[in-house]
Amino acid sequence: MEAVVNTSYNMDLVVLSYVISVVGAFIALYSAGRLKPHSNNRQAYLFSVTSAGVALGGIGVWSMHFIAMLALRMDVGLGYSVWETVISLVAAIAISAGAFHFVALNPTSLPRLLTAGLTLGMGAVVMHYLGMYGMRFSGHFQWDYARVGLSVLIALVAATAALWLAFNTRALSTRVTAAFVMAIAVCAMHYTGMSAADFICTTENRRAIPSGSGIISVLDLPMMVITLAVGMSVALLVDLVFVSFQDSNAIRSRNRDFAASQMH
């Protein structure tokens, strides 16, 4: 017995997924603006690259994806594989950080931008569909491959645009606007990919929630995802405020030293 699963969306969570993506995109843009790969302070550079990767991959893409998955309402029992969920998070962060580093070495190079955009875009695609592959329910997917292809195209264009914006926006207002645009692109890729899948139930006991080793119940997933998303966001925002404060003090100190030198 096979039947298409009825689906709908909780619009409050859809809006939350967009907001989370905006936050991740903004922090990534701010962190990317500080990338100086040729600086002598390698520790600071590695931290900035990691921050950009966590912000875009971990918050802007991964957290957005799973909050959007929580927004999906289905009339079947649902769970998630821990392994695919964790691997998709690590992959999203690592690929995002690698793409930022690759472009930062020469931000004016178009071949570097396109190569990194391709890598980052495919990384977002892998993260999205790996996250969906980690879904556990009594049935299988039926795909509309034209929409899958469209979601891949959106991801590639969005990733390339995100990298360009990261290294070509400086004003705060421009970065805020760019973050909203990037988040729209990320959400467009996700919801297009979701629309490509029909969920086919193959059991009569539709409400049975999958259980077993390595499976997270859909009832437990919200706490994990929201905790990780908020935790990563707060940690990065606090760090950005601290770094900005240090930079401001350093600039004031240099100005005082310069003024003192002019008096002698």
Side-chain angles (χ1 to χ4, degrees), residues 94-165:
I95 293 171
S96 298
F100 278 119
H101 169 66
F102 188 71
V103 177
L105 293 173
N106 186 1
T108 62
S109 171
L110 182 59
R112 276 186 177 273
L113 176 66
L114 295 177
T115 300
L118 174 64
T119 303
L120 181 58
M122 291 309 299
V125 169
V126 169
M127 183 263 119
H128 173 80
Y129 287 104
L130 183 61
M132 290 192 68
Y133 179 75
M135 296 175 71
R136 296 291 183 264
F137 65 100
S138 299
H140 59 85
F141 295 107
Q142 185 170 290
W143 296 100
D144 179 337
Y145 291 104
R147 292 193 182 188
V148 171
L150 179 59
S151 72
V152 172
L153 179 61
I154 292 172
L156 296 178
V157 173
T160 304
L163 290 172
W164 186 88
L165 290 168

Side-chain angles (χ1 to χ4, degrees), residues 152-224:
V152 172
L153 179 61
I154 292 172
L156 296 178
V157 173
T160 304
L163 290 172
W164 186 88
L165 290 168
F167 293 96
N168 290 276
T169 55
R170 291 292 179 267
L172 178 61
S173 59
T174 307
R175 285 177 175 169
V176 171
T177 302
F180 278 96
V181 173
M182 284 171 59
I184 289 174
V186 171
C187 290
M189 178 267 167
H190 172 86
Y191 289 108
T192 301
M194 288 301 298
S195 72
D198 281 329
F199 299 85
I200 309 299
C201 181
T202 57
T203 181
E204 293 184 3
N205 188 10
R206 300 166 66 93
R207 297 289 183 177
I209 297 177
S211 61
S213 177
I215 295 180
I216 306 172
S217 165
V218 71
L219 302 176
D220 298 326
L221 186 66
M223 183 59 68
M224 184 189 79

Side-chain angles (χ1 to χ4, degrees), residues 31-82:
S31 298
R34 303 179 53 80
L35 294 181
K36 297 178 178 61
H38 305 297
S39 169
N40 291 328
N41 192 341
R42 300 300 296 171
Q43 184 176 0
Y45 174 71
L46 289 174
F47 186 83
S48 293
V49 169
T50 303
S51 295
V54 170
L56 184 60
I59 302 172
V61 177
W62 187 89
S63 296
M64 176 270 150
H65 169 89
F66 278 99
I67 290 175
M69 294 305 297
L70 292 174
L72 180 66
R73 295 289 182 255
M74 303 169 58
D75 60 347
V76 294
L78 184 64
Y80 289 86
S81 166
V82 172

